[in-house]
Each structure stands twice: as structure tokens, then as C-alpha cells.
Amino acid sequence: MRILIRYGSITRKFMVLETSDRDGSLSLTIRREGVSTSRTAWSTRPGEQATKTIEFDPPRKKNKRITIHQSGRVNYHENGCAIFVAPLTQTTQPCAIYGYRVPALDRLDMHDEDIAEEDAVFDLTDLPEGPVSFSVILGPGDFTPHGRAIKLGYEAEGYSMTLQVDPVTFAVPSDLDQHFTTLTPDRGLFSQQQMEECQAMISYHQALTGTKEAILYAPNGEGVIRMIFSVPMRIAPRYKIELVDPVLHVSDQDVQRDGRSEKVMLKFKVRHRKSGQIVRQPIAIKSIALDAEL
């Protein structure tokens, strides 16, 4: 979904938030047109407040992107750093994971497309001219924002994402007052990742479906059926799939695996034995046996 800013009579680009169908991880992009030839960075840590300018060759897009993984790892793609929070399905306390300061709202790029039904429009017309800063807060489902905010609730998983206008705009060095500025924290709630990626993927699908058992999704538009295991396997398991209808079958060529998820997920297609056509509607499965013994 897109979060747009309305300031006066003009709607402006701001943020895109996307959710991975694979494991529910989030991708957050701060939207700006054009490229930058350099970046000026500094720290609030004692002794590291001096600014440092890094030249880009070639220039980089002005868009800023972070990814929030189900495991609780937050990656900042603009500087290569990462912090760790609770796994998303175990979020119990709020944590500010990103800050963004704009020198003036009317300097945001204009949104010249139609506003879709799923877009969220943040009307800040009544704010005075001048710098404004925002915080992105990851919190539990019942988190209550303070002041002006848009909150997106992920009810099944039990967490929320909030874009909040800071009551006091965060300060920057005086010579950078007219620059767009991002704020990335040095550390999160934890010093290391709290859940393995495989378990985080299972926890997401179990939260989404409300079960602790193995999960079997209906075929998607391409006829791919996904099975999410109830626990991570030691290795990618061998499998045996029996279908109720004998005219249908699953061949080895129609089983899809990838290195990141083969210990927790099996993807496959069902075909007609004679025609070879892929079945794209739900079918009756007699049994699926998985074997990952030592």
C-alpha cells in the first residue's frame, strides 16, 4: 500500500509498504524522485558528531528502503546496517525503527496518479511551514500512537506499523537544515536475532491461519499449492504425495524448492496424467508424507 501526504490542495508521494506473500516480511520505501551524488552522515554518539560526506559513483536513487523481516531483523539498505527487534508475531513493546525529516512538506514530490482504494492519505494541511519529522514505529496490535499518526494493524499476526508526526522535529546540523534526512537507530531491542528465519516463516503462517498444524494452501493462479510444515525440518525432506483422483499426479518436475524455505515449505503443481494440463482449482489430497530422517 502507499501512504500519501496531503498538504493544501496537493497530494504528495511519501511511502510504500509492501508485504511478502512468502513469509509476511515487510518492505518500506521512502519515495523520492531523482538521484543523489553524495550522502552526509553523522552520529549522536559522543565524539562522533562530526559530519562526513560520502561521494557516490555512480549516483544513487533518492528512494530509501528498509526491510523488516519476520525474524525481527531490520535491514537499512541505504547504509548496510541492521538492528534486531522481536519477531513480528511476538511483538509486545513499541520500537521506533526509522526516522525521516523533510525540510518542508511542499518539497515532497507530487503524486500525479489516481489514488487507489487501498492508499492511505495523511492530511497535514494544518501544519505550519518548515521542517517536519516522522517516526516509523513497530508495536503490538494495541499500540496507541501519540499525536498525529496513521496506524496500520496486522491483526492476525498481532502487531502494527505506525507513521507518526514527531511532536518536536528532530534537530540536524545547521548547514543541513534544508536537506532531507533519515534517522536510523544504532541498536534495537536486542543485540542479536531472536528467531531463526525458518521458524519465523512457520510462525507467520500459523498466526495467519490460526493453527499449529501443517498448512496446505489452495492452488494460486498458476496452480502452485503450498504446504507449510508444522516445524522446521533438519534438511529438505523427501516427499510422497497421494491424490484421491488417480488421473491426477505430481511429478518431480512440478515440485519447487528454494534454499531459503525448503526446510519449511513444499510447493508443487498437480497435472492430468494424459493431457499434462495443470490443475488450478482445489483438489482432494489423500496424504502427504515427508521424510527428513538422519
Side-chain angles (χ1 to χ4, degrees), residues 18-217:
E18 300 173 296
T19 305
S20 165
D21 179 62
R22 174 184 172 273
D23 66 354
S25 293
L26 303 175
S27 174
L28 185 156
T29 302
I30 299 293
R31 304 170 67 196
R32 285 193 68 205
E33 296 176 356
V35 296
S36 297
T37 57
S38 66
R39 172 168 63 94
T40 300
W42 73 97
S43 173
T44 58
R45 289 192 296 263
E48 298 184 26
Q49 290 96 339
T51 59
K52 178 182 179 181
T53 299
I54 302 161
E55 302 292 335
F56 296 149
D57 185 19
R60 299 181 184 177
K61 291 183 178 181
K62 290 184 177 181
N63 284 345
K64 307 298 182 185
R65 180 170 175 260
I66 69 172
T67 48
I68 305 105
H69 294 268
Q70 277 292 333
S71 63
R73 181 185 179 96
V74 182
N75 290 332
Y76 300 98
H77 294 258
E78 62 189 278
N79 58 18
C81 295
I83 64 169
F84 302 100
V85 296
L88 296 186
T89 56
Q90 298 180 5
T91 302
T92 59
Q93 58 181 309
C95 180
I97 60 172
Y98 202 61
Y100 188 56
R101 182 185 187 274
V102 300
L105 292 175
D106 59 10
R107 288 183 57 184
L108 293 169
D109 295 317
M110 292 180 58
H111 178 77
D112 53 7
E113 304 171 22
D114 291 337
I115 297 176
E117 184 177 350
E118 64 271 18
D119 291 338
V121 180
F122 203 178
D123 193 339
L124 300 178
T125 301
D126 60 322
L127 290 186
E129 296 181 2
V132 180
S133 65
F134 302 83
S135 292
V136 178
I137 302 171
L138 172 64
D142 60 359
F143 171 68
T144 301
H146 299 289
R148 304 285 291 277
I150 286 182
K151 175 184 171 182
L152 308 175
Y154 297 80
E155 296 181 1
E157 301 99 302
Y159 73 94
S160 63
M161 290 288 294
T162 298
L163 175 66
Q164 181 173 289
V165 178
D166 294 331
V168 178
T169 302
F170 70 75
V172 299
S174 58
D175 58 332
L176 299 177
D177 189 60
Q178 293 304 305
H179 289 238
F180 289 79
T181 308
T182 58
L183 179 68
T184 56
D186 280 340
R187 59 185 63 86
L189 299 176
F190 305 98
S191 60
Q192 60 185 7
Q193 192 166 308
Q194 298 298 292
M195 182 181 285
E196 294 294 330
E197 182 180 349
C198 287
Q199 182 57 59
M201 183 174 174
I202 290 177
S203 296
Y204 162 70
H205 287 283
Q206 289 180 338
L208 205 62
T209 58
T211 181
K212 294 296 184 182
E213 305 299 324
I215 300 160
L216 195 65
Y217 287 105

